[in-house]
Amino acid sequence: MPHHGNEEEHISSASQEQQGNGHQEPVIRDNRKVDPVTGAARHPEGGQSVPGDAAPGAGSEDPDSDGDALAQAEEILNGIEVPAEESVAQGVSAGATSAEAAELKNDLLRLQAEYVNYRKRVERDRAVAGEMAVIGVLNSLLPVLDDVDAARQHGDLADGPFAAIAAKLENALKTYGLARIDETGVEFDPTIHEALIQQPGEDIEVDTVSQVLRSGYKSGERVLRAAQVIVAVPA
């Protein structure tokens, strides 16, 4: 509805008209602790404090005071110079002396050396355990190889499926380092030969293996079984 005249008179007349109709204006209470216009803190009772009434620093706290304190502390810590001798190991306090830092460094080096030695010992023990396991299997198969040799000498393994099986077994054992000791005409070596018979021989200057009675075997440098041989000695 358009109106003319003074604005205040119009508001007053509108207020009286609402009261006459039995309606009351809504009451709005602002319970915020900080005034959105001035930014000043209000009193606990809910009233608004007037800027400038309170003494500086009284009854109010700066929300950035904690951040400023942390920034100052960080700046102080960054300004402290730690000697190089005292920072060789993590965890050395700023007040530790150079002697303490050197002791910690020596302890660290000693611990590292002990760990390296322990790792080498474990690897060596693991390799020895694996080698001994292989040697145990090879020793258990030596009688089977003796039977294969006997059958071959009697002509039973000249041809046929059993000859192929025997050849596969021998080749499989060679992959594990098994080597046969059955050479003749070589110098007698007591570390790999076992002399059962000695016979004088012509044109023999040193003891020589003339015949192998039972083959010997070795795995790498380890002799599993010495070969039983007949030795020709100088006449």
Side-chain angles (χ1 to χ4, degrees):
M1 177 179 179
H3 60 276
H4 303 280
N6 193 352
E7 184 70 21
E8 295 180 357
E9 293 178 357
H10 175 70
I11 296 174
S12 177
S13 61
S15 176
Q16 292 176 2
E17 182 180 355
Q18 291 179 358
Q19 292 179 0
N21 294 334
H23 297 285
Q24 295 182 357
E25 294 183 354
V27 179
I28 300 175
R29 294 183 176 86
D30 191 355
N31 295 327
R32 289 177 291 182
K33 296 182 180 181
V34 180
D35 186 78
V37 178
T38 63
R42 293 175 175 174
H43 293 290
E45 293 79 8
Q48 179 176 347
S49 62
V50 180
D53 291 346
S60 62
E61 295 181 357
D62 188 358
D64 297 333
S65 60
D66 294 338
D68 294 340
L70 292 176
Q72 293 177 2
E74 184 178 0
E75 183 178 357
I76 293 174
L77 291 177
N78 292 333
I80 297 176
E81 296 182 358
V82 180
E85 295 82 358
E86 300 179 3
S87 60
V88 293
Q90 184 178 3
V92 178
S93 61
T97 62
S98 59
E100 294 175 349
E103 183 178 359
L104 290 176
K105 182 178 180 181
N106 293 333
D107 293 340
L108 180 61
L109 294 176
R110 182 166 55 253
L111 181 62
Q112 182 180 8
E114 291 177 357
Y115 173 73
V116 171
N117 293 334
Y118 169 76
R119 185 177 60 183
K120 291 181 179 180
R121 184 169 62 253
V122 169
E123 293 177 354
R124 182 174 60 253
D125 295 342
R126 185 183 295 112
V128 171
E131 183 180 356
M132 294 304 298
V134 173
I135 290 175
V137 174
L138 295 178
N139 283 327
S140 64
L141 292 176
L142 293 184
V144 179
L145 296 178
D146 292 338
D147 295 340
V148 171
D149 289 341
R152 184 177 288 112
Q153 291 176 3
H154 288 81
D156 297 335
L157 293 179
D159 196 4
F162 291 104
I165 294 174
K168 289 181 179 179
L169 176 62
E170 293 174 345
N171 292 331
L173 295 179
K174 287 180 181 179
T175 60
Y176 291 95
L178 183 66
R180 185 189 299 269
I181 305 174
D182 58 353
E183 295 180 350
T184 59
V186 297
E187 184 179 355
F188 175 78
D189 186 356
T191 60
I192 60 175
H193 297 135
E194 179 184 358
L196 298 181
I197 301 174
Q198 290 184 353
Q199 296 176 347
E202 297 180 357
D203 301 331
I204 299 297
E205 298 179 358
V206 294
D207 296 347
T208 305
V209 176
S210 59
Q211 184 179 353
V212 177
L213 301 178
R214 189 182 69 172
S215 299
Y217 294 94
K218 64 180 180 178
S219 177
E221 299 298 330
R222 182 187 295 270
V223 178
L224 303 181
R225 189 181 69 185
Q228 294 179 351
V229 298
I230 297 176
V231 180
V233 298

